[in-house]
Amino acid sequence: MASDAVTLIMNDHRIMEQLFDRLRTGSGDRQLLLDEIAARLTAHSHAEELQVYPSLPTAEAHHGADEHHEAERMLHDLQRMGPEDEGFADRLDDFIATVGHHVQEEETTILPSLRDAVDDARLIEIGAAFEQVRLEELAVAGISVS
C-alpha cells in the first residue's frame, strides 16, 4: 500500500516508541529488543538520508543526519554493555531521550518543511523510495515486515 513519506516516517516513529516501552519495562529479551531497535534505527536513518533528506533544505538535512549518527553511536554503546551491566539503565534513558528529541523535532519542524517543499505526488514518490530502502535493509538484518 503506497503512502506518503511523512506518514511512513511517523509510523516508523510509533513502532520505535513501542519497542522502547518494551525495553524499558523488561518485556521480552532485552538483547533481542536492542538488536531489533538497532536494525530498525539503521534502516530508518539510511532510508531518510538517501530518499527524504535530499528534498529538504540543506541545514535541516544535515541536522537530521547528525542526530541519526549520534543515536546510532549511543545504541552501539548500549549493545556493547548489555542489559545487565551497571549504568545500562541510565544510558538507555539517555538514548531514548535523544531519539525522542529527534522524533519531536522531525515531526514538528522537518516533516512539515518537507510537506511545504514538495507536492503530494512527490511525497508519495519519496515515500515509496523510503520504504524500499527501509525494507531492503530490514531484510538484510533478518527482520521481515508485512
Side-chain angles (χ1 to χ4, degrees):
M1 178 171 95
S3 190
D4 69 274
V6 172
T7 300
L8 290 168
I9 290 167
M10 290 178 67
N11 288 345
D12 240 16
H13 291 167
R14 301 297 82 82
I15 291 168
M16 192 65 70
E17 289 166 353
Q18 292 170 1
L19 290 169
F20 289 162
D21 287 343
R22 289 179 55 202
L23 190 58
R24 276 187 172 138
T25 63
S27 171
D29 182 313
R30 292 180 100 186
Q31 193 61 52
L32 287 177
L33 283 169
L34 277 175
D35 293 345
E36 181 174 352
I37 288 168
R40 287 184 179 277
L41 179 69
T42 300
H44 178 93
S45 297
H46 290 169
E48 277 187 342
E49 290 169 24
L50 289 172
Q51 303 299 333
V52 179
Y53 287 0
S55 297
L56 291 169
T58 303
E60 287 181 3
H62 285 303
H63 181 70
D66 288 346
E67 287 184 342
H68 285 163
H69 301 152
E70 175 65 12
E72 288 175 4
R73 184 195 59 74
M74 294 173 82
L75 180 58
H76 293 306
D77 288 347
L78 277 170
Q79 287 180 295
R80 279 192 296 276
M81 287 181 77
E84 65 288 335
D85 290 353
E86 184 178 327
F88 178 85
D90 290 337
R91 285 193 183 208
L92 176 62
D93 288 343
D94 290 345
F95 166 69
I96 291 173
T98 296
V99 173
H101 166 80
H102 173 71
V103 165
Q104 187 273 333
E105 193 170 78
E106 196 166 72
E107 291 183 3
T108 60
T109 304
I110 295 174
L111 295 178
S113 180
L114 178 64
R115 278 199 194 279
D116 291 343
V118 300
D119 63 24
D120 290 344
R122 182 69 182 128
L123 273 179
I124 291 171
E125 290 173 7
I126 294 169
F130 167 85
E131 191 69 351
Q132 180 179 349
V133 170
R134 188 181 78 82
L135 291 175
E136 287 171 359
E137 293 212 13
L138 287 173
V140 167
I143 296 175
S144 61
V145 180
S146 51

